[in-house]
């Protein structure tokens, strides 16, 4: 699906909203391109764009423009892929992709092979957004795949394979009953196999109970804060980006 130059758009910072449809367009300045995302908020939280996702998109955009000052540099410098001219692209899995904007942005800005994942009922919209941006992503050497992934389900996890360098996620720590399935998935992706892997997660703290997840995660992973957004107006805290690595892994 191509974007028309005469679409009725309103610029809101780097976000462009098509006022006559359910589509939103986001300008990624480092590649001088726009990605289009369909939100379906009436269908549930997985169909909406949340603030932590935009934080990761901004970090990816800024990393491509100037890697040396990016908080992502420590992680990405260990990978060979640095854009469309790389012969060995990064292989990325995004957990709880929702609209898929983070995975799509990663594929475009990093020239990466990205698998966006979510529950089966979210896959149709994920495919829509992946297809809508396929040309932009391919222009910069990336590719987006879509896969169903139920956290903690071994069949789903094994179907992803072990050819993974990096795991991404945003706003995935909220329901307590999902903490263990998410940790099981992270242990499978980060601790199984021989390659060194890292998990980057953007998170906006909402409840004290979220500390349970981080306490459990630190049993298996070194967890570091690599970036903090300033709080939005009226908020006490901003989005925090965490880096999870297997203990004793020095990337």
């Amino acid at each position: 699906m191509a974007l028309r130059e005469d679409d009725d758009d309103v610029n809101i910072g780097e976000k462009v909203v098509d006022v006559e449809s359910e589509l939103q367009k986001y300008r990624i300045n480092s590649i001088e391109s726009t990605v289009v995302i369909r939100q379906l908020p009436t269908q549930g939280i997985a169909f909406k764009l949340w603030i932590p996702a935009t934080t990761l998109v901004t970090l990816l955009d800024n990393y491509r423009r100037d890697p040396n000052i990016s908080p992502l540099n420590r992680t990405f410098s260990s990978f060979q892929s640095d854009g469309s001219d790389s012969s060995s692209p990064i292989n990325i899995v995004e957990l709880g992709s929702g609209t898929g904007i983070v995975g799509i942005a990663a594929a475009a800005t990093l020239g990466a092979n990205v698998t966006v994942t979510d529950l089966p009922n979210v896959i149709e919209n994920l495919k829509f957004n992946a297809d809508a941006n396929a040309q932009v992503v391919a222009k910069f050497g990336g590719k987006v795949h879509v896969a169903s992934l139920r956290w903690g389900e071994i069949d789903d996890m094994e179907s992803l394979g072990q050819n993974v360098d990096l795991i991404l996620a945003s706003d995935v720590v909220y329901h307590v009953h999902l903490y263990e399935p998410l940790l099981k998935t992270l242990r499978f992706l980060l601790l199984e196999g021989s390659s060194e892997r890292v998990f980057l997660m953007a998170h906006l703290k909402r409840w004290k109970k979220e500390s349970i997840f981080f306490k459990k995660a630190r049993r298996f992973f070194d967890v570091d804060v690599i970036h903090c957004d300033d709080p939005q107006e009226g908020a006490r805290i901003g989005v925090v980006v965490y880096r999870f690595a297997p203990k004793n892994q020095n990337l």
Side-chain angles (χ1 to χ4, degrees):
M1 180 182 62
L3 298 179
R4 302 193 314 272
E5 293 297 329
D6 59 348
D7 280 343
D8 187 7
D9 296 334
V10 178
N11 286 287
I12 306 176
E14 293 185 0
K15 179 173 70 175
V16 184
V17 181
D18 186 336
V19 298
E20 294 185 348
S21 79
E22 59 191 348
L23 302 181
Q24 290 188 331
K25 303 167 204 170
Y26 294 83
R27 185 72 176 175
I28 301 181
N29 291 325
S30 62
I31 59 174
E32 298 184 343
S33 299
T34 299
V35 298
V36 60
I37 297 296
R38 182 174 71 175
Q39 296 189 80
L40 303 172
T42 60
Q43 296 192 26
I45 61 175
F47 298 86
K48 295 175 62 178
L49 182 66
W50 298 93
I51 293 172
T54 62
T55 293
L56 277 185
V57 172
T58 299
L59 288 176
L60 289 164
D61 189 12
N62 291 339
Y63 172 80
R64 183 178 175 99
R65 285 193 288 187
D66 192 346
N68 293 325
I69 63 172
S70 169
L72 303 180
N73 190 46
R74 176 190 174 194
T75 296
F76 291 164
S77 63
S78 66
F79 302 124
Q80 294 181 353
S81 177
D82 60 358
S84 60
D85 61 343
S86 174
S87 60
S88 181
I90 304 174
N91 294 298
I92 298 173
V93 169
E94 184 191 6
L95 304 179
S97 299
T99 63
I101 189 171
V102 172
I104 291 166
T109 57
L110 301 173
N113 291 326
V114 180
T115 300
V116 292
T117 69
D118 214 307
L119 295 172
N121 66 304
V122 184
I123 295 302
E124 181 180 353
N125 196 52
L126 262 180
K127 287 183 176 177
F128 177 94
N129 288 334
D131 291 344
N133 296 284
Q135 286 187 325
V136 169
V137 169
K139 179 180 178 181
F140 298 97
K143 185 175 291 187
V144 177
H145 312 274
V146 179
S148 174
L149 176 61
R150 297 163 296 171
W151 296 343
E153 295 293 330
I154 190 63
D155 290 344
D156 288 7
M157 294 187 295
E158 289 181 343
S159 70
L160 293 176
Q162 288 292 323
N163 188 22
V164 180
D165 302 307
L166 174 69
I167 299 94
L168 297 175
S170 60
D171 225 5
V172 291
V173 178
Y174 42 93
H175 294 314
V176 173
H177 71 277
L178 294 177
Y179 292 176
E180 284 298 336
L182 176 55
L183 286 168
K184 184 177 180 180
T185 303
L186 290 175
R187 291 197 302 270
F188 177 85
L189 291 173
L190 290 173
L191 303 180
E192 298 289 333
S194 58
S195 63
E196 296 178 334
R197 298 165 187 165
V198 175
F199 172 48
L200 298 180
M201 181 183 77
H203 177 68
L204 181 61
K205 182 179 179 181
R206 296 181 176 89
W207 303 287
K208 291 183 178 179
K209 64 186 179 182
E210 295 163 6
S211 63
I212 298 172
F213 170 81
F214 288 94
K215 182 177 180 180
K216 291 183 175 181
R218 286 186 170 93
R219 297 175 186 172
F220 307 97
F221 310 110
D222 292 323
V223 182
D224 300 314
V225 173
I226 65 168
H227 172 80
C228 297
D229 276 350
D230 293 330
Q232 291 198 325
E233 185 176 355
R236 292 186 297 108
I237 57 174
V239 174
V240 178
V241 179
Y242 295 89
R243 179 183 180 276
F244 294 62
K247 285 185 177 295
N248 302 318
Q249 175 174 307
N250 296 314
L251 283 186

